[in-house]
Amino acid sequence: MSHSIDAGLLPERTSLSFVRTSLSIFGLGAACLRWFPLHSSIALIGLAVAGVLVASAAVCERRSRRRRMKRFAAESATPAIVTGAMLGTSVVLLSCIGLWILLR
């Protein structure tokens, strides 16, 4: 009895998790606008940079999805390090800005 594996499911789930994470970070950024002082340009610049990172990660994920699915089917897949690093950096940046505002 042979087991057939659909090579498209795992990369698709990874892609969907990147999309969910991106939307969550955008939501966090929108919520942070409520607490960021309007006169704090550093906080707004940091939020804009985080937004650009998340948008870039979403574009990078969208463009590389088909290539990653082909690589996964050929069993030569590599992790999406750049996309993950952009999302992780945006979370760290938002966290640092939040701490800076709290301690200020």
Side-chain angles (χ1 to χ4, degrees), residues 35-101:
W35 291 286
F36 285 173
L38 294 177
H39 61 276
S40 177
S41 61
I42 293 174
L44 293 176
I45 290 171
L47 184 61
V49 169
V52 168
L53 282 171
V54 172
S56 299
V59 169
C60 182
E61 168 59 30
R62 179 75 173 146
R63 287 186 176 175
S64 68
R65 181 181 304 163
R66 188 176 303 246
R67 182 180 66 241
R68 198 173 52 251
M69 289 178 87
K70 286 180 184 178
R71 284 180 146 182
F72 192 82
E75 296 184 3
S76 65
T78 56
I81 294 174
V82 174
T83 305
M86 285 191 277
L87 292 176
T89 303
S90 65
V91 169
V92 170
L93 180 61
L94 287 176
S95 300
C96 290
I97 292 169
L99 285 173
W100 177 73
I101 287 174

Side-chain angles (χ1 to χ4, degrees), residues 14-27 54 87-88 90-91:
T14 302
S15 179
L16 289 173
S17 69
F18 279 133
V19 170
R20 284 191 309 267
T21 304
S22 298
L23 289 174
S24 298
I25 295 170
F26 269 134
V54 172
L87 292 176
S90 65
V91 169

